[in-house]
Amino acid sequence: MKKMILFIFALLACHAGYAQYFCTIEGAELHYVNYDEAGQSVSNETAVVGYVGRDGNNLSAAYVNKIVTNKLKGNTSYTRFDWNYDGNQTVCVEDLVFGPYIDSDSDPAKYNTAARAAMQEELKFKGDNSLILKRNAKAGESMPDRSYSLIVNMLKNEITLSGATYMGEERISTTAGKFDCIKISYLKRTKVLLKTTTHRINEWYAEGIGLVKSESFDMKGKPAGKTLLVKIVK
């Protein structure tokens, strides 16, 4: 109980000093459940805050996410998210080459800038997949389009994120608690060979936490998947 009280106090301290949309408590775990279009659980995901740094007004953190897919042999995969806050906006970049690096049986302890650059070259990664969340953004305010490409399973994937807009603030309740979030919405278009798939993505982010909820829909408005934050532990 004492450890939990200290963790909650530290979590509140994150909000007091900074207005970043990510957690800065090293070792904290954010547990998510990913659902398919029918609302069935397909995987469990744990984001561990493995690094936190401060340099003047800049605050940074790295999440390493472990994804365990249900009913699948060799069902564990990894990704990484790098976060930065400069006092005005939060920038999140998913490191799309971290998972392939781990899958190649490379030593995670040796993953550095050089290793990342080498893997980006191998996967032909190009473009910008950053997400920028501004402080005090108003509902209806637009966000910049971005696009990127990389080789996945020997196939070139081209992804475009467009029409991103701040939708205002909303309180989201999950088994992890109640969170005051900003909501954003955008279109995600994925092209693989001659096939193009487009989804509407809605996401909710809370200060001091990060992603709380994500929903995707096809262009006819049918659900295509959902992610929920279900637990926070230290």
Side-chain angles (χ1 to χ4, degrees), residues 19 23 54 58 61 85 105 113-114 131 141-142 155 174 189 191 197 213-214 225:
C23 182
R54 291 179 174 86
N58 284 290
Y85 176 68
D105 293 326
T113 302
L131 171 69
E141 187 174 341
S142 62
L155 297 175
T174 76
R189 186 184 68 191
K191 181 181 180 183
T197 304
K213 179 181 177 181
S214 176

Side-chain angles (χ1 to χ4, degrees), residues 48-60:
V48 179
V49 183
Y51 163 83
V52 176
R54 291 179 174 86
D55 182 11
N57 291 328
N58 284 290
L59 179 65
S60 59

Side-chain angles (χ1 to χ4, degrees), residues 125-147:
F125 176 85
K126 295 181 180 179
D128 176 14
N129 67 320
S130 64
L131 171 69
I132 299 174
L133 301 172
K134 293 172 56 178
R135 288 187 64 191
N136 304 317
K138 305 299 182 182
E141 187 174 341
S142 62
M143 304 167 69
D145 294 347
R146 53 207 189 279
S147 61

Side-chain angles (χ1 to χ4, degrees), residues 19-192:
Q20 82 287 347
Y21 289 98
F22 55 94
C23 182
T24 56
I25 303 172
E26 288 188 0
E29 298 179 359
L30 309 176
H31 292 256
Y32 297 88
V33 176
N34 299 311
Y35 300 88
D36 63 14
E37 67 278 1
Q40 299 296 312
S41 171
V42 293
S43 64
N44 294 299
E45 185 167 349
T46 302
V48 179
V49 183
Y51 163 83
V52 176
R54 291 179 174 86
D55 182 11
N57 291 328
N58 284 290
L59 179 65
S60 59
Y63 291 3
V64 174
N65 291 34
K66 178 181 179 181
I67 305 104
V68 179
T69 304
N70 304 339
K71 302 177 182 179
L72 182 66
K73 188 176 181 180
N75 62 346
T76 302
S77 59
Y78 295 87
T79 190
R80 171 183 165 129
F81 291 87
D82 293 306
W83 299 82
N84 186 76
Y85 176 68
D86 64 3
N88 179 54
Q89 62 186 22
T90 295
V91 179
C92 174
V93 178
E94 181 177 4
D95 188 344
L96 297 171
V97 305
F98 180 77
Y101 176 85
I102 298 300
D103 290 342
S104 68
D105 293 326
S106 299
D107 184 355
K110 296 182 179 179
Y111 187 72
N112 53 25
T113 302
R116 177 185 295 181
M119 186 59 70
Q120 286 180 332
E121 179 64 26
E122 181 176 334
L123 298 179
K124 306 300 182 185
F125 176 85
K126 295 181 180 179
D128 176 14
N129 67 320
S130 64
L131 171 69
I132 299 174
L133 301 172
K134 293 172 56 178
R135 288 187 64 191
N136 304 317
K138 305 299 182 182
E141 187 174 341
S142 62
M143 304 167 69
D145 294 347
R146 53 207 189 279
S147 61
Y148 57 97
S149 64
L150 74 165
I151 304 299
V152 179
N153 296 325
M154 300 181 68
L155 297 175
K156 185 178 182 180
N157 285 238
E158 300 175 84
I159 297 92
T160 301
L161 309 177
S162 62
T165 306
Y166 291 98
M167 305 300 289
E169 299 180 352
E170 187 174 335
R171 173 163 285 192
I172 298 296
S173 296
T174 76
T175 56
K178 296 180 179 180
F179 305 93
D180 293 320
C181 301
I182 59 166
K183 178 183 179 182
I184 64 172
S185 183
Y186 58 89
L187 292 176
K188 181 178 182 179
R189 186 184 68 191
T190 303
K191 181 181 180 183
V192 182

